[in-house]
Amino acid sequence: MSQKWRPATTLVHGGTTRSHHGETSEAIFLTQGFVYDTAEAAEARFKGETDGFIYARYASPTNDMFEKRMCALEGAEDARATASGMAAVASAILCQLKAGDHIVAARALFGSCRWVVETLAPKYGIDCTLIDGRDLANWEQAIRPNSKVFFLESPTNPTLEIVDIAGVAKLANQIGAKVVVDNVFATPLFQKPLELGAHVVVYSATKHIDGQGRCLGGVVLSDKQWIDENLHDYFRHTGPAMSPFNAWTLLKGLETLPLRVKQQTENAARIADFLADSKQIARVIYPGRVDHPQADLIARQMSGGSTLVAFEMKGGKAAAFALQNALEIVKISNNLGDAKSLITHPATTTHKNLTDEARAELGISAGTVRLSAGIEDADDLIADFERALSKVSA
């Protein structure tokens, strides 16, 4: 593949392999296993002396195409496709740790991500320290002699805070720790964690990569050495592999990713501006606005805004619920990155299992609402919000 290809071209053609039939669209190889011409050929394949596939839990042709296309987009050497985004997160973190190790994690995480580091990891003797990830001093102060992994998402879910990835990576490199970045909210189009110094990137491919509400998926990307030494055996023996059908669906999603994300981001920016002028909204948080408290860092770290908008209703939970119930085009769903505009109330959905104190630390109030802008006409979406807000008591 030409290294001069830009993302839109890479996402149509990158990583494609064709069978002898010369199909235009990528083929779906719905097979569990593979046949060898001879017993000697099977032995050589298992020894790694010859190339080829062994078992679909390890790798398959369709999954391989998806992984290669994601590598081309992300600038990674290797990748493994997983059954879901959380399978990717858990695999990326746990595959490189053992009892006695220590995780430093930004406390602003998706609820299930936080459960992995805060609840699951300690069951296996792995300690975790949660910090306010916005301040590099907090990362430095949390370091212990046994700190092995720094974990963060940026922008964060749902309040769209930004973490200085390059700064965190510099601290991690000083002690030999690995930085794992959940890059879902930025998408691979607007932020390149590996270029900023991160060691591992994870995605829920369910979100923008599929982006059409069809299937689950995840992916872990890094350099080949890290994959070989950490993830390869974990992946092979614990079995979080993606279905080949889902891999094919995600390949189709990647073809239109730039078009969808561009429209979603433009819509999100316009809606954020509209909401900021509403007297019923206490605050609006959007990475593309100059009033974002970390606008300078965003300008250095990201090449675009976001498809997500966070805002706070003055009337708390009652107003947030009334707004959601009054919307017609925008649908209530805890998913994001979809072609359809989706809205959710984090305190009662995605972050429901956190304590009131933990939600307060993250800036999630009873009135906090998260919007994932879709690809609909922006004027229609704004009209939908205008009409819905008129039905919410001031």
Side-chain angles (χ1 to χ4, degrees), residues 84-124:
S84 69
M86 283 313 306
V89 169
S91 298
I93 293 172
L94 298 177
C95 76
Q96 57 183 320
L97 294 172
K98 64 182 185 305
D101 288 343
H102 176 237
I103 302 168
V104 183
R107 67 191 183 194
L109 297 170
F110 172 58
S112 293
C113 293
R114 186 156 165 165
W115 183 86
V116 168
V117 298
E118 190 177 26
T119 303
L120 179 63
K123 291 183 178 181
Y124 298 97

Side-chain angles (χ1 to χ4, degrees), residues 276-287:
D277 290 334
S278 172
K279 294 180 179 180
Q280 293 164 279
I281 308 296
R283 63 170 181 152
V284 172
I285 309 171
Y286 182 67

Side-chain angles (χ1 to χ4, degrees), residues 9 11 54 60 66 92 116 142 281 319 331 384:
T9 305
L11 290 173
I54 294 174
S60 73
F66 172 67
V116 168
I281 308 296
K331 305 304 179 186
D384 197 27

Side-chain angles (χ1 to χ4, degrees), residues 24-280:
T24 301
S25 180
E26 298 82 1
I28 309 174
F29 291 88
L30 288 175
T31 181
Q32 300 160 324
F34 302 86
V35 174
Y36 315 99
D37 292 336
T38 64
E40 290 79 7
E43 180 184 34
R45 187 84 56 87
F46 270 77
K47 283 183 175 181
E49 295 173 351
T50 59
D51 293 331
F53 298 99
I54 294 174
Y55 191 56
R57 175 158 53 85
Y58 306 164
S60 73
T62 311
N63 291 35
D64 186 60
M65 281 189 277
F66 172 67
E67 291 164 354
K68 287 178 177 176
R69 190 169 295 179
M70 282 300 304
C71 284
L73 175 63
E74 194 69 36
E77 292 180 354
D78 205 358
R80 292 292 183 274
T82 60
S84 69
M86 283 313 306
V89 169
S91 298
I93 293 172
L94 298 177
C95 76
Q96 57 183 320
L97 294 172
K98 64 182 185 305
D101 288 343
H102 176 237
I103 302 168
V104 183
R107 67 191 183 194
L109 297 170
F110 172 58
S112 293
C113 293
R114 186 156 165 165
W115 183 86
V116 168
V117 298
E118 190 177 26
T119 303
L120 179 63
K123 291 183 178 181
Y124 298 97
I126 301 165
D127 291 333
C128 175
T129 300
L130 292 172
I131 61 167
D132 182 343
R134 294 171 294 181
D135 189 343
L136 287 177
N138 294 334
W139 292 93
E140 188 169 16
Q141 292 167 9
I143 292 173
R144 301 179 189 173
N146 58 337
S147 298
K148 301 297 182 184
V149 169
F150 290 3
F151 178 51
L152 62 98
E153 60 183 46
S154 182
T156 62
N157 183 3
T159 53
L160 300 167
E161 297 174 358
I162 310 298
V163 178
D164 185 346
I165 297 173
V168 173
K170 183 177 180 180
L171 290 172
N173 288 335
Q174 291 173 0
I175 62 168
K178 299 298 183 183
V179 177
V180 179
V181 176
D182 181 341
N183 202 41
V184 167
F185 270 40
T187 81
L189 298 172
F190 290 158
Q191 186 168 265
K192 300 291 187 183
L194 297 180
E195 292 180 4
L196 293 166
H199 306 94
V200 183
V201 182
V202 296
Y203 288 99
S204 171
T206 310
K207 309 303 189 293
H208 302 90
I209 293 170
D210 173 38
Q212 292 160 82
R214 299 170 298 189
C215 70
L216 298 175
V219 62
V220 184
L221 303 106
S222 186
D223 61 79
K224 191 175 187 307
Q225 182 178 350
W226 185 88
I227 296 280
D228 288 346
E229 294 179 356
N230 296 278
L231 184 58
H232 179 76
D233 286 342
Y234 178 98
F235 186 89
R236 183 182 181 116
H237 297 298
T238 63
M242 178 184 287
S243 157
F245 182 82
N246 286 13
W248 179 83
T249 305
L250 293 167
L251 280 164
K252 297 292 97 184
L254 283 174
E255 292 181 353
T256 60
L257 179 66
L259 301 174
R260 288 183 284 105
V261 168
K262 180 178 183 291
Q263 184 65 46
Q264 290 167 322
T265 303
E266 291 176 357
N267 286 352
R270 286 195 57 190
I271 294 168
D273 290 342
F274 167 79
L275 293 174
D277 290 334
S278 172
K279 294 180 179 180
Q280 293 164 279

